[in-house]
Amino acid sequence: MASAEAVAAVVEAGGAHVPGLMRDLEERLATIAQSHGPTLGEHAGATIAAGGKRLRPLLVFVAAGPDPAGRDAALRAAVAVELVHSATLVHDDVLDAAVLRRGRPTVVASAGRSIATATGDLLFSRAFAELAGGGTVDPVRVLSDASSALVQGELLQREDAWKLQTTRERYLRRCDLKTARLFRAACELGALAGGGKVALLGEFGERIGLAFQILDDVLDVSGPAERTGKHRGTDLLDGTVTLPLILARERDPELERLDLRAVRTPEQAEGVCDAIAATGALGAAREEALAMVADAKADLPCLPEPSQQAALELVADSVVDRYS
Amino acid sequence: MASAEAVAAVVEAGGAHVPGLMRDLEERLATIAQSHGPTLGEHAGATIAAGGKRLRPLLVFVAAGPDPAGRDAALRAAVAVELVHSATLVHDDVLDAAVLRRGRPTVVASAGRSIATATGDLLFSRAFAELAGGGTVDPVRVLSDASSALVQGELLQREDAWKLQTTRERYLRRCDLKTARLFRAACELGALAGGGKVALLGEFGERIGLAFQILDDVLDVSGPAERTGKHRGTDLLDGTVTLPLILARERDPELERLDLRAVRTPEQAEGVCDAIAATGALGAAREEALAMVADAKADLPCLPEPSQQAALELVADSVVDRYS
């Protein structure tokens, strides 16, 4: 999803409050990055910039709705959610010894493990400080639960690495923990800020978060590299078993016997991607994700504001659009 | 400081509420460690156990005072402070690739960097969840500020590594950020829980935290190894310049010309420790710390409860006692 397009579409649908908030978000993130000395300023800034599309803050703003009374709380929540997201990216990069993220050098590559770990810890701390400044405690509970889930999801992924027999259920649990729970938190925090339906919006967020992760995993197999900015099959090279491979394994006996540890070069990984695609598993995985998005949208008519419903539908569609 | 002795002394001085809270603290920490699956349970449990003396929780309890109305908030605060302390230990061990802490294998040594980093992130998250459960937001602000300071202090230490010319002011700033601010937070959180004087108790905590760090740094030079459980001069081997060396450098031209990077073996480090001790710098550094403890105690007569004053004086003394 290109943020500018999604934001424009959301604004069109009745989210006139969103562009101002998105600008304030960037300003606030930049200020936070610069507030802890030059070293952290440089690297926290780079990490926040690498976060990219600001999909989670957008969810907060749309879930909060246009009431000016909730503006400050929505902005704090959006900042906090993006800081937690950025913190996990920088720690993931440390663990993966990643060199590039979105075409820029990672903090761990440019400044080393110490500074990268410290940068992540600082961003975590500032996320909670941001929420505390709002004066109510419920948002802190929501975000700390989501960030605990994130860590558990990350760990589950590492525990299951290289396990070809990973089940669909276990894969979905991992996606829920490492991705969907923060989407849920973004929507719940927006609902808390705007006085909206917390449970309904949270459920919506969790479903589109799950769809987002599945589609991201499909994209890693389907490519092409020009669109994702990386080779196909990076998950395979990390030993991460995702839904396309889980579904393909059931359809192709060759893949059922695959030795994941023998997949070592980008060329070998692309070969396995081709074998997965040949089974039709990519379309099947995409269908699962689209069904989740449809489920997510199905509850929205219960919202009192038609304009909020329309804006949320557009955000849900934008999760899907990048793969159409 | 041996916790059992310090607790006994505090109880004697009028802290009858403390032992029950210390027991509840251990129970609650164990429950949290076990609540996130077997992998994290094992390693979070090991990390929390490695935290050791529970000096920060003890500060929370004594600063909170005996009023049962503040009991729940004090317990939450103590748990949260200890979780943040544990999180920083496990991340420090990752960065230092440390093998042992207090004679036990570190998480990074027994489970690798991924699990250790995740364990630290989880402990951070649970600290804020614990405070959020208390229903008020001020504690979240206090703890998130302290944990941001901790990260900045850790980073300052790494930035200044191998810099023999580190000034006293810069050293004290580092100690304040990496140690004293969490002591301050412990006292402030206790004061918030017990309805006490937040600013006065916070100041007290910061001063004894600073003294604690200086004395810890003295102990690294003075040894003996049987008491600290490690060789003398480990800071020198890490390139960490502390107050004893800063003071000794001004007294001994040989040390002024020391090439820190040439100090590579435990034997060489012990040789430098001997040279530092010979200048009398250890006594001078100890004096500075004792003066800070005296300053900290000087404000305590403003407290309305003489028994709380006595208990806090004992905690302050216990920081000093381990070096007497």
Side-chain angles (χ1 to χ4, degrees):
Chain A
M1 182 185 75
S3 180
E5 294 160 31
V7 171
V10 165
V11 171
E12 184 82 16
H17 64 300
V18 170
L21 280 164
M22 291 297 266
R23 273 194 304 275
D24 289 353
L25 169 81
E26 295 302 325
E27 203 170 285
R28 185 90 194 99
L29 288 172
T31 304
I32 290 169
Q34 298 311 319
S35 304
H36 300 88
T39 305
L40 280 171
E42 177 188 344
H43 300 296
T47 304
I48 289 170
K53 302 178 305 274
R54 312 294 189 225
L55 179 54
R56 294 157 192 80
L58 181 62
L59 271 175
V60 175
F61 297 145
V62 176
D67 186 347
R71 196 180 195 284
D72 179 65
L75 184 57
R76 287 185 181 278
V79 167
V81 165
E82 194 65 10
L83 288 174
V84 164
H85 175 56
S86 300
T88 62
L89 295 185
V90 73
H91 280 180
D92 285 357
D93 287 343
V94 173
L95 295 176
D96 297 337
V99 175
L100 291 175
R101 180 174 286 277
R102 299 187 180 279
R104 302 172 188 227
T106 60
V107 177
V108 64
S110 60
R113 294 198 293 125
S114 305
I115 288 178
T117 302
T119 301
D121 288 350
L122 181 79
L123 296 174
F124 262 129
S125 298
R126 294 330 292 167
F128 292 105
E130 191 64 24
L131 291 183
T136 60
V137 78
D138 279 345
V140 177
R141 182 184 46 72
V142 169
L143 190 67
S144 58
D145 284 349
S147 74
S148 302
L150 255 159
V151 176
Q152 291 176 265
E154 181 62 29
L155 212 62
L156 204 59
Q157 177 162 326
R158 289 175 197 273
E159 276 181 21
D160 286 353
W162 315 108
K163 292 186 186 159
L164 183 66
Q165 301 306 323
T166 302
T167 62
R168 192 175 163 285
E169 289 63 39
R170 185 135 169 140
Y171 163 80
L172 288 174
R173 173 141 187 272
R174 181 215 302 165
C175 294
D176 186 57
L177 289 167
K178 83 169 188 166
T179 306
R181 298 281 288 275
L182 192 59
F183 277 65
R184 169 185 273 275
C187 289
E188 288 183 352
L189 290 170
L192 285 169
K197 298 191 173 201
V198 175
L200 187 147
L201 289 166
E203 194 62 31
F204 169 84
E206 190 153 354
R207 284 173 176 165
I208 69 164
L210 216 45
F212 178 85
Q213 184 59 55
I214 292 173
L215 291 169
D216 208 51
D217 293 341
V218 169
L219 196 63
D220 189 67
V221 178
S222 69
E226 310 84 82
R227 289 191 61 191
T228 61
K230 53 187 184 180
H231 282 284
R232 290 186 298 147
T234 57
D235 286 337
L236 289 165
L237 293 171
D238 290 339
T240 305
V241 175
T242 64
L243 191 57
L245 177 54
I246 293 170
L247 297 178
R249 218 180 55 202
E250 297 163 1
R251 297 162 181 228
D252 176 352
E254 290 274 336
L255 284 170
E256 183 69 39
R257 287 189 296 270
L258 179 69
D259 177 4
L260 271 176
R261 292 203 183 262
V263 183
R264 290 192 186 162
T265 68
E267 292 70 28
Q268 289 171 328
E270 299 218 344
V272 178
C273 288
D274 290 339
I276 293 170
T279 67
L282 293 178
R286 229 183 252 120
E287 285 308 311
E288 284 204 33
L290 294 179
M292 285 176 193
V293 172
D295 268 359
K297 287 158 80 173
D299 284 342
L300 293 178
C302 302
L303 289 171
E305 277 297 323
S307 69
Q308 187 182 29
Q309 181 189 331
L312 286 166
E313 280 177 0
L314 279 165
V315 177
D317 288 338
S318 76
V319 166
V320 183
D321 273 354
R322 58 197 283 233
Y323 307 90
S324 65
Chain B
M1 179 187 74
S3 179
E5 293 161 29
V7 171
V10 165
V11 172
E12 184 82 16
H17 64 300
V18 171
L21 280 164
M22 292 296 265
R23 273 194 303 274
D24 289 353
L25 168 81
E26 294 302 327
E27 203 170 286
R28 186 90 194 100
L29 288 172
T31 303
I32 291 169
Q34 298 312 319
S35 304
H36 300 88
T39 304
L40 280 171
E42 178 187 346
H43 300 295
T47 304
I48 289 170
K53 302 178 303 273
R54 312 293 188 228
L55 180 54
R56 294 158 192 80
L58 181 63
L59 271 176
V60 175
F61 296 145
V62 176
D67 187 348
R71 195 180 196 285
D72 179 64
L75 184 58
R76 286 185 182 280
V79 167
V81 165
E82 194 66 10
L83 287 173
V84 164
H85 174 56
S86 300
T88 62
L89 295 184
V90 73
H91 280 182
D92 285 357
D93 287 343
V94 173
L95 296 176
D96 298 337
V99 175
L100 291 175
R101 180 174 286 277
R102 299 188 179 277
R104 302 171 187 228
T106 60
V107 177
V108 65
S110 60
R113 294 198 293 125
S114 306
I115 288 179
T117 302
T119 301
D121 288 350
L122 181 79
L123 296 174
F124 263 128
S125 298
R126 293 331 293 166
F128 292 105
E130 191 65 24
L131 291 182
T136 59
V137 79
D138 279 344
V140 177
R141 181 183 46 71
V142 169
L143 191 67
S144 58
D145 285 349
S147 73
S148 303
L150 255 159
V151 176
Q152 291 176 264
E154 181 62 29
L155 213 62
L156 204 59
Q157 177 163 324
R158 290 176 197 271
E159 276 181 21
D160 286 353
W162 314 107
K163 291 186 186 158
L164 183 67
Q165 301 306 322
T166 302
T167 62
R168 192 177 164 285
E169 289 62 39
R170 186 135 169 139
Y171 163 79
L172 288 175
R173 175 145 184 271
R174 180 216 301 165
C175 293
D176 187 55
L177 290 167
K178 84 170 188 166
T179 307
R181 297 282 287 275
L182 193 57
F183 276 66
R184 170 184 273 275
C187 289
E188 288 183 353
L189 290 169
L192 285 169
K197 298 192 173 201
V198 175
L200 186 146
L201 288 166
E203 195 63 31
F204 169 83
E206 191 153 354
R207 285 174 174 164
I208 70 165
L210 217 45
F212 178 85
Q213 185 59 55
I214 292 173
L215 291 169
D216 209 51
D217 293 341
V218 168
L219 197 63
D220 189 66
V221 178
S222 70
E226 309 85 81
R227 288 191 62 190
T228 60
K230 53 187 185 181
H231 282 284
R232 289 186 296 146
T234 57
D235 286 336
L236 288 165
L237 292 171
D238 290 339
T240 305
V241 175
T242 63
L243 191 58
L245 178 54
I246 292 169
L247 296 178
R249 217 181 55 202
E250 297 163 2
R251 298 163 180 227
D252 176 351
E254 291 274 336
L255 284 172
E256 184 68 40
R257 288 189 296 272
L258 179 69
D259 177 2
L260 271 177
R261 291 205 184 260
V263 183
R264 290 193 187 163
T265 67
E267 292 70 28
Q268 289 171 328
E270 300 219 344
V272 178
C273 289
D274 290 339
I276 292 171
T279 66
L282 293 178
R286 229 181 250 121
E287 285 307 310
E288 285 204 33
L290 294 180
M292 285 176 193
V293 172
D295 267 358
K297 287 157 81 173
D299 283 341
L300 293 179
C302 302
L303 289 172
E305 277 297 323
S307 69
Q308 187 182 29
Q309 181 189 331
L312 285 166
E313 281 178 358
L314 279 165
V315 177
D317 288 339
S318 75
V319 166
V320 182
D321 273 353
R322 57 198 281 233
Y323 308 91
S324 62

